[in-house]
Amino acid sequence: MKRGARITQKDVAVRAGVSQATVSTFLAGGDGVVASETAHRIEAAIAELGYTPNRFARALRTQRSMVVACVVPDITNPFYPALFAAAQATMGSEYDVVAINTGGAAEAEDAVIAAALQGRYDGLVGVFFTRRASDFADAVRAGVAVARIEAHPKAGGALAIDDVFVDNRRAAAELTQTLLDLGHRRIEMIAAAGGPETVRVEGYRAAMDRAGREAVVHTARAYSAAGGAEVVQAMLRRDKLPTALLAANDLMAIGALRVLGEAGVAVPGDVSVAGFDDIMPAALAMPQLTTVALHQDDLGARAAGLLLARLTGAAEGPGRVVEMPFDIVARASIGPPAIQDTQRRRTST
Amino acid sequence: MKRGARITQKDVAVRAGVSQATVSTFLAGGDGVVASETAHRIEAAIAELGYTPNRFARALRTQRSMVVACVVPDITNPFYPALFAAAQATMGSEYDVVAINTGGAAEAEDAVIAAALQGRYDGLVGVFFTRRASDFADAVRAGVAVARIEAHPKAGGALAIDDVFVDNRRAAAELTQTLLDLGHRRIEMIAAAGGPETVRVEGYRAAMDRAGREAVVHTARAYSAAGGAEVVQAMLRRDKLPTALLAANDLMAIGALRVLGEAGVAVPGDVSVAGFDDIMPAALAMPQLTTVALHQDDLGARAAGLLLARLTGAAEGPGRVVEMPFDIVARASIGPPAIQDTQRRRTST
DNA sequence: CTGTTAGCGCTTTCAA
DNA sequence: TTGAAAGCGCTAACAG
């Protein structure tokens, strides 16, 4: 089970006819710290032997693990893989990026923070549902870099925690406004309890208030396609469909789309449907779903960039709060309301 | 940037009034290796101090990193997150599981193998598009555990490489047969070049041959929704639609579904469509897509299980080859062919 | 500019 | 049953 004899700095040193410490010094890299003649010999030895530094020895010595944890509620949720992949890509090959699924549970979030505090991770990047800045205090003071991805602006305390966020509240308001501008008056929202999606409901309410329209929010069992579907089924049963339906996320919107389609209700002819997140299935839905792109890859990349800056010492001091743009992706699932509600039309455009 | 003074075995030892080596011995765990009185004192000290072993020191000493790499072509492809999450879950908390995106490129696959050989990873689990058993030889001999996930049975050489596979060839044949049994005669397939999906084409051809029907395979630009869509657009242009369309993966099938829907072709009324993989969007498509479930979570879990067995020494000797079941998930997108091809009907059921 | 030295925290003989 | 000692491969003073 042991790994075969690996090439160490000592081997390189012997081959190059210098001391092991000189090899280390050379690797540390300061411009002309090593005589160019020696440098060449070492370089040659490294190449011939195929030397690669042992990251564990290095970690032990430097107290830096060179691994960061990318914290997500559930990598199986189509929203996160892109975020993770982008974070991983921007961290480069020096760092190992491990994905940690928390399930949005406090204990799991605490566990990663604790692990980081113990030196297992140099940095934490990702989405924390339950932990607030103060929960990171010990870790941050101990030198752990933290970059969070949020759904709304954060206070930005004195702690060295960087935040990247998209203003979901504003995005929801704009999306609602888009529907309003199209002529819709009865716009209802589907959401579930808790989660960062809550601010989307606020945005919707704000926009409706502003327009002098009544906000109606239906609570689903979960932020899933099934959750969205059930709500719409109930609406259908009572024969009370609005002209536009805004779902707190794409999964719910797609569930709604399905039920509507099966009931022969035309989208967007009879009712317009919009979602949130711009996950892949949204573009594949029929009709294609109008949604808000949060650009999860950019979020991951940006957050990882901030993390990297902390890690390399390029950034210091209190945390930065950077806002990232969203985009309303207008697709086929929305259109102007029919003159008369709930009449049957063609199934798609 | 340094991590704060961590609790070490030495601290525990001092507190318990024993030597550091004794703490280590205790942790190693052999039943009564340590006097129970001592054991209690050490346990108490560990609890009070909140000691956790330093994995880097341990890795340096034991030459085992306690991290395994889960190798996937692209974590962003909806097929892989479930596989990764399952592998991660079964590896337990002792192991860190890092996801490595290879993009299916030989160099990237080589790079992980090399990294493992250098001791960065104790094990490799996942999908390798380009590397064959012999490419793992050095690593395996050096003690790296390897468990691959394949699309068809492997020879199972003398090397200690475990393989988990679903017989994609047979799955494709059965799916084709399902269509045949429904009464379809003109069944055509959409595939792209290369990849493990190739064996699916073989299975399709075999089933068609057996039924005495002509196999027609259309080559798409890529294994994507766009790739599938383009092929169907071309068919539509030539007005040559078969009664059933078998796509090499769900993404292509969904692309096909979209184009068909937009052209007003009824599915499954006019043409039946089936895919492969059972990714989430398949269940969300309209109509819901008939596909082959490969149970990627089971694949990941099983492969990780084999890896773990190697790692813990529970398994030894030549690699095991274990076949995993597939399931044909019959959903709304297929049905019996219309009496007359290509006539217009309702868009959905 | 290069080498010596002292550990980082841990496991593992080997003695006591 | 416990402890002393060595050393995994590396970095970082410090001397020379």
Side-chain angles (χ1 to χ4, degrees), chain B residues 9 20 24 51 58 61:
Chain B
Q9 286 187 355
Q20 175 268 323
S24 178
Y51 167 79
R58 189 174 272 181
R61 180 61 233 232

Side-chain angles (χ1 to χ4, degrees), chain B residues 227-241:
Chain B
E230 288 164 10
V231 168
V232 177
Q233 272 152 359
M235 288 179 171
L236 249 20
R237 241 177 278 123
R238 290 197 228 93
D239 201 21
K240 293 184 67 176
L241 278 184

Side-chain angles (χ1 to χ4, degrees), chain B:
Chain B
M1 270 304 160
K2 280 264 179 87
R3 210 52 32 81
R6 298 262 338 284
I7 308 292
T8 72
Q9 286 187 355
K10 194 158 143 207
D11 301 320
V12 174
V14 169
R15 176 116 189 178
V18 296
S19 82
Q20 175 268 323
T22 302
V23 176
S24 178
T25 309
F26 167 78
L27 258 19
D31 265 352
V33 251
V34 160
S36 81
E37 218 278 306
T38 328
H40 286 129
R41 288 217 312 280
I42 297 180
E43 249 168 1
I46 288 179
E48 285 159 24
L49 265 23
Y51 167 79
T52 7
N54 178 314
R55 39 180 27 229
F56 302 108
R58 189 174 272 181
L60 181 58
R61 180 61 233 232
T62 62
Q63 306 284 52
R64 310 188 79 232
S65 67
M66 300 307 281
V67 7
V68 309
C70 180
V71 178
V72 296
D74 178 13
I75 192 76
T76 264
N77 175 328
F79 184 82
Y80 296 107
L83 187 157
F84 168 72
Q88 187 171 238
T90 105
M91 290 308 295
S93 62
E94 294 276 88
Y95 283 89
D96 257 346
V97 180
V98 315
I100 306 289
N101 289 62
T102 60
E107 315 82 61
E109 293 186 355
D110 275 339
V112 240
I113 298 176
L117 187 52
Q118 286 158 202
R120 184 156 168 181
Y121 307 120
D122 286 345
L124 263 21
V125 56
V127 177
F128 293 85
F129 274 7
T130 71
R131 301 297 82 174
R132 10 187 78 264
S134 60
D135 295 312
F136 293 89
D138 288 349
V140 170
R141 269 193 292 271
V144 175
V146 178
R148 293 133 96 206
I149 292 165
E150 303 275 352
H152 54 93
K154 275 282 155 109
L159 238 33
I161 297 180
D162 296 312
D163 280 326
V164 166
F165 77 96
V166 170
D167 192 338
N168 278 243
R169 192 176 192 287
R170 197 154 57 76
E174 276 190 30
L175 182 53
T176 305
Q177 190 58 51
T178 303
L179 260 8
L180 251 7
D181 291 346
L182 239 28
H184 290 275
R185 297 296 169 256
R186 281 186 64 201
I187 306 173
E188 302 187 354
M189 183 154 189
I190 308 177
E197 288 90 346
T198 313
V199 296
R200 299 177 184 169
V201 177
E202 290 174 22
Y204 156 76
R205 284 191 196 280
M208 292 298 271
D209 274 6
R210 211 177 303 127
R213 299 283 155 194
E214 189 198 359
V216 178
V217 178
H218 301 269
T219 303
R221 183 169 48 78
Y223 286 106
S224 63
E230 288 164 10
V231 168
V232 177
Q233 272 152 359
M235 288 179 171
L236 249 20
R237 241 177 278 123
R238 290 197 228 93
D239 201 21
K240 293 184 67 176
L241 278 184
T243 63
L245 225 28
L246 183 55
N249 73 13
D250 286 346
L251 253 16
M252 286 180 151
I254 291 168
L257 239 34
R258 139 160 332 290
V259 172
L260 257 15
E262 287 170 356
V265 177
V267 176
D270 296 329
V271 12
S272 287
V273 176
F276 227 103
D277 284 347
D278 195 24
I279 58 177
M280 181 203 281
L284 303 176
M286 279 276 286
Q288 292 191 80
L289 186 65
T290 290
T291 184
V292 180
L294 266 21
H295 304 300
Q296 34 272 7
D297 48 352
D298 292 340
L299 288 176
R302 193 66 214 279
L306 292 170
L307 195 77
L308 205 48
R310 292 274 169 194
L311 254 14
T312 58
E316 282 184 344
R320 293 183 55 185
V321 177
V322 355
E323 175 164 11
M324 298 288 284
F326 59 83
D327 285 297
I328 294 187
V329 183
R331 297 208 188 95
S333 72
I334 65 170
I339 312 302
Q340 284 220 276
D341 289 356
T342 328
Q343 70 184 37
R344 296 288 138 95
R345 301 232 300 225
R346 327 196 329 281
T347 292
S348 74
T349 33

Side-chain angles (χ1 to χ4, degrees), chain A residues 9 20 51 61:
Chain A
Q9 285 188 355
Q20 174 268 324
Y51 166 80
R61 181 60 232 235

